[in-house]
Amino acid sequence: MSALNDYWEALSRLRSNTPVRVPKSSPINKDTVALEAGRKRGSIKKSRTSFSELIEAIDNAAANINHSYQSIDNRLKAEQSAKNNYRELYHQALNRELMLMERLAQLEKEIESLKKVVPLRK
């Protein structure tokens, strides 16, 4: 009976994303629950009636977690895309600024050269 409790505790840790034996954010399935419980992969089998409730809970947890991971993944991709867009806009603004500064320097030199013109006498 303690083995079954180990599986339930492992499932609980995976749900809260605080696993001890498997990497964080691991997908929730029978194999990861077994590994997290310190058992071998494939030790949770449908053929064993004692695991029927556990398997149902694993399937439910996997469905719920996968939806939240997908929404987080979509948000992350959107934020990365926005970040890249803002970075591109920033670099374009810097390029414009440099070109305008160069043009301003050219025009100031032109103004200085025009100030040195001596008026013609009548």
Side-chain angles (χ1 to χ4, degrees), residues 47-113:
S47 60
R48 297 181 186 156
T49 56
S50 60
F51 287 130
S52 60
E53 280 185 51
L54 179 63
I55 291 172
E56 187 176 327
I58 290 170
D59 291 340
N60 289 337
N64 291 338
I65 295 297
N66 285 340
H67 290 301
S68 66
Y69 282 148
Q70 287 174 352
S71 67
I72 290 171
D73 197 33
N74 289 341
R75 278 188 23 220
L76 178 63
K77 286 179 183 175
E79 291 297 325
Q80 287 173 338
S81 176
K83 179 188 78 164
N84 290 336
N85 184 38
Y86 287 127
R87 178 180 287 143
E88 181 63 30
L89 290 173
Y90 172 72
H91 287 291
Q92 288 175 1
L94 284 178
N95 287 336
R96 272 193 314 275
E97 182 79 16
L98 290 173
M99 289 189 313
L100 289 172
M101 289 176 64
E102 186 177 319
R103 180 67 177 144
L104 179 62
Q106 288 173 350
L107 291 173
E108 285 175 344
K109 284 181 185 177
E110 190 176 323
I111 289 173
E112 285 300 316
S113 68

